[in-house]
Amino acid sequence: MMEEAEIVELLEKNIPDGLLSVVTPRVRKVSAEIAPDIIRKAAETLLCKGARLIIIAAVDAGLDIDLLYHFDLEGKVVVLRVKLGKEKPEIDTVADLTPTAEWAENEAAELCGVRFRDHPKPGHLVLSDKLPEGTFPLGKPFKSKLPDEIGPVAEAVITVGATAPISSLMKRRRVEAGLPPQPPASYSNESQLKEVHELIRQTNFSRQAGYDWKRKKLRGVKK
Amino acid sequence: MKKYALFLGCMIPQRLPSAELATHKVFNSLGLEIAEMTGYTCCPDPILARLMDRKVALSMSARNLSIAEGQGLDVVVLCNGCYETLWEANEFMKRGETSREINELLAKVGRKYNGTINVRHVVEVLHEDVGIEAIKNQVKKPLGLKLAVHHGCHLFREENGRDIWRKPKQFEELVSATGAEVVRSDVDQLCCGFPTSHVDEEFSLKHNLLPKLERYQHIGVDGIVVVCPACNVQFESGQLALRRYSAKFSIPCLHLVELLALAFGAPSKELSLEFHRSPVSQLVARIG
């Protein structure tokens, strides 16, 4: 019989790249967060050891949809948690690997709007086929937990380390007034701003706020 | 020569650079030296940013304080909001557990804050470190103006057990030292409405700013003096915004350091008072 530690080892060995974290929160339970693109490999790893898919739960968390694949492996519950950004909530099907997934994926699709690529039998599970396209009963607004009013401040503070960066017009006016175009703030110095960004990353705030570091914007629909 | 690390914050460089200029002139006249705080960030904002996340707010504040500590200088602040945020953070950083938690984060970017410096409002520095008599000695142009003093909510924040009127009274005495008359009214302690404007602009204009301006206009003040750029923005942009509701006002508003610079004889042109959106030129004309 596999112990919890052996299950952790199994995951670490077989899906080293996409395994984001793995913990044993209590006896007979292992919980792993994985990248969406390794869901098939992760499911196969467990299924090859005789695991059974119990259920896939979909939770709309505002900016992302959490998919929780619950497996039973020799009496232990193994949960694979996948975060799908709501910009493109797509993931490969596992229905061809385990038939239990077929209806569970259909349920997550119709209730939360997840698209399961290459699903063998897409369609509604319990809801009417006449439901207007894009209607997902358990879907929530595409926004973080931050109040709407705080969004712009949060975005500016993360991006430039200030609530009000200097506009180009103000830079010109400052120079005309005999001041340097910018104060010695972090946004006027690349290495200082880099340090501020690293500090913000360390607090985990940017993740909670749903900040997209590439686009330098908060994710989600703005008010 | 006493030296301070000047924390400019976000709003002064962007909206009120004239206060930045005036600070240099006033400090220079009084024999005080200013050091720049290279790489500082938002304090962060006392209302909005601090609601976001305690750790990110405290670590940004502590990072700012570590910059001044690295220079071995106390911080001087020109904004009530920045003052409250940095002062509070400084107090939190004297507590072992919080200091350890935040310093662990700072260490990841190569910084540490030991809590060895003080955060001072410009009002405190001018009143306590310079003194009213020394200020009066610098006044070249006594201002025969009737001025409303808007203290600003955060100026009342004080250490437990201390007099919350300590800094507001100091502020009034500094205005009086210029030769101006401080006109008191029953709306002095009403918030200008800047914080609520983020949530409900109409409410902030009609229920905070409007009653204040109506009262000041009724009393016939020559202008409003503030020690916070956010209050200044609210008084100036707010007067323009109130025109949407058919309420017209034309009351100048300026920062204490600008008032002092004018009283110390600095030519108004050198202060670039045109950054203001209220008729400060009207007030300057009265000074002559």
Side-chain angles (χ1 to χ4, degrees):
Chain A
M1 182 170 277
M2 285 184 90
E3 297 298 321
E4 290 86 341
E6 288 172 290
I7 298 172
V8 169
E9 202 179 314
L10 174 77
L11 294 172
E12 286 173 340
K13 192 179 165 193
N14 286 277
I15 47 168
D17 292 337
L19 183 65
L20 305 176
S21 69
V22 57
V23 289
T24 307
R26 60 172 171 79
V27 181
R28 294 204 300 278
K29 185 167 180 181
V30 173
S31 184
E33 185 172 351
I34 62 167
D37 56 349
I38 62 149
I39 184 59
R40 288 179 65 83
K41 182 97 187 283
E44 270 176 325
T45 300
L46 295 173
L47 292 167
C48 285
K49 290 288 175 186
R52 169 181 70 90
L53 178 69
I54 306 168
I55 189 70
I56 303 171
V59 181
D60 189 329
L63 290 171
D64 304 290
I65 294 172
D66 289 346
L67 287 178
L68 303 154
Y69 294 74
H70 291 71
F71 290 87
D72 164 26
L73 179 56
E74 297 181 4
K76 275 109 189 152
V77 175
V78 182
V79 181
L80 300 178
R81 178 190 289 267
V82 182
K83 243 180 210 316
L84 293 181
K86 279 168 72 175
E87 291 88 345
K88 199 178 177 189
E90 288 184 11
I91 191 164
D92 289 336
T93 184
V94 293
D96 58 323
L97 303 175
T98 171
T100 326
E102 189 178 301
W103 68 268
E105 289 183 351
N106 283 348
E107 185 188 41
E110 69 175 3
L111 293 178
C112 291
V114 179
R115 198 177 87 78
F116 291 91
R117 285 186 292 260
D118 302 324
H119 190 285
K121 205 176 167 188
H124 284 295
L125 178 70
V126 290
L127 296 178
S128 164
D129 286 337
K130 290 175 186 165
L131 205 68
E133 209 175 314
T135 306
F136 307 110
L138 294 187
K140 290 180 185 163
F142 183 27
K143 63 195 281 290
S144 77
K145 288 173 186 165
L146 284 181
D148 291 337
E149 293 77 13
I150 289 179
V153 178
E155 190 173 276
V157 167
I158 299 172
T159 307
V160 293
T163 54
I166 304 285
S167 64
S168 40
L169 171 66
M170 187 50 80
K171 280 181 193 168
R172 281 201 301 276
R173 292 189 66 194
R174 284 177 58 89
V175 171
E176 282 162 17
L179 287 164
Q182 298 192 95
S186 56
Y187 52 75
S188 59
N189 180 313
E190 208 176 310
S191 69
Q192 296 282 350
L193 189 56
K194 214 170 159 186
E195 180 193 316
V196 174
H197 285 166
E198 183 54 30
L199 183 62
I200 292 171
R201 277 195 174 99
Q202 291 293 339
T203 65
N204 204 27
F205 173 65
S206 52
R207 189 173 174 183
Q208 287 171 31
Y211 187 76
D212 183 333
W213 287 96
K214 276 186 191 157
R215 290 173 58 239
K216 295 182 178 170
K217 285 190 182 308
L218 287 184
R219 294 168 57 213
V221 176
K222 286 175 186 166
K223 196 181 173 185
Chain B
M1 189 182 265
K2 197 142 191 198
K3 195 171 178 180
Y4 303 87
L6 177 63
F7 184 80
L8 287 169
C10 301
M11 289 191 87
I12 285 187
Q14 170 70 289
R15 304 289 294 266
L16 206 57
S18 45
E20 198 177 326
L21 283 165
T23 302
H24 284 279
K25 288 197 183 295
V26 168
F27 274 49
N28 191 38
S29 300
L30 296 169
L32 304 174
E33 208 179 330
I34 287 171
E36 285 188 339
M37 287 180 62
T38 305
Y40 77 87
T41 63
C42 178
C43 54
D45 178 288
I47 306 287
L48 297 177
R50 283 159 71 197
L51 288 174
M52 298 188 301
D53 182 272
R54 174 185 158 276
K55 257 190 180 180
V56 77
L58 264 181
S59 59
M60 285 178 82
S61 294
R63 182 184 169 279
N64 284 327
L65 296 173
S66 76
I67 294 171
E69 190 177 57
Q71 296 166 296
L73 299 172
D74 283 350
V75 177
V76 62
V77 183
L78 305 174
C79 164
N80 288 351
C82 299
Y83 171 78
E84 179 179 313
T85 302
L86 294 176
W87 186 88
E88 258 188 27
N90 203 22
E91 291 303 302
F92 279 126
M93 290 301 287
K94 287 173 187 165
R95 296 176 190 170
E97 202 177 314
T98 307
S99 172
R100 266 194 302 279
E101 180 193 15
I102 300 301
N103 268 317
E104 266 176 32
L105 287 169
L106 291 180
K108 290 178 180 167
V109 295
R111 288 196 182 269
K112 189 181 182 195
Y113 179 59
N114 296 308
T116 60
I117 59 159
N118 297 304
V119 176
R120 315 281 308 282
H121 195 289
V122 69
V123 162
E124 290 176 296
V125 166
L126 295 174
H127 196 281
E128 295 169 4
D129 297 4
V130 178
I132 291 296
E133 284 313 307
I135 300 274
K136 281 182 179 170
N137 288 341
Q138 287 299 321
V139 173
K140 310 259 182 334
K141 271 189 184 178
L143 309 177
L145 301 168
K146 275 172 76 176
L147 297 172
V149 169
H150 174 75
H151 310 98
C153 305
H154 301 287
L155 195 65
F156 288 89
R157 300 290 187 267
E158 190 56 88
E159 205 175 323
N160 275 347
R162 291 191 78 175
D163 180 12
I164 61 165
W165 275 95
R166 181 177 64 92
K167 292 188 294 294
K169 278 180 186 163
Q170 291 177 341
F171 177 17
E172 290 182 10
E173 287 173 25
L174 287 164
V175 174
S176 297
T178 64
E181 179 195 348
V182 173
V183 185
R184 290 189 178 80
S185 80
D186 52 0
V187 292
D188 283 347
Q189 288 157 70
L190 180 64
C191 174
C192 65
F194 181 80
T196 46
S197 67
H198 296 285
V199 183
D200 188 340
E201 192 199 21
E202 187 177 342
F203 178 90
S204 85
L205 291 173
K206 289 184 175 173
H207 296 272
N208 289 98
L209 191 62
L210 185 61
K212 289 191 81 101
L213 293 173
E214 280 175 337
R215 192 81 185 111
Y216 293 151
Q217 186 155 276
H218 178 74
I219 298 169
V221 299
D222 294 312
I224 306 162
V225 194
V226 296
V227 279
C228 176
C231 301
N232 191 92
V233 165
Q234 176 73 352
F235 275 114
E236 297 199 320
S237 301
Q239 286 189 60
L240 300 175
L242 274 170
R243 291 182 187 173
R244 293 203 300 265
Y245 306 103
S246 306
K248 287 190 180 172
F249 296 95
S250 190
I251 307 177
C253 178
L254 78 177
H255 195 285
L256 171 69
V257 286
E258 296 172 301
L259 188 79
L260 287 169
L262 288 170
F264 289 1
S268 60
K269 274 190 179 173
E270 288 182 16
L271 294 174
S272 294
L273 294 172
E274 62 276 6
F275 280 111
H276 281 276
R277 300 184 76 191
S278 65
V280 173
S281 54
Q282 196 175 286
L283 193 128
V284 172
R286 287 184 71 95
I287 298 168

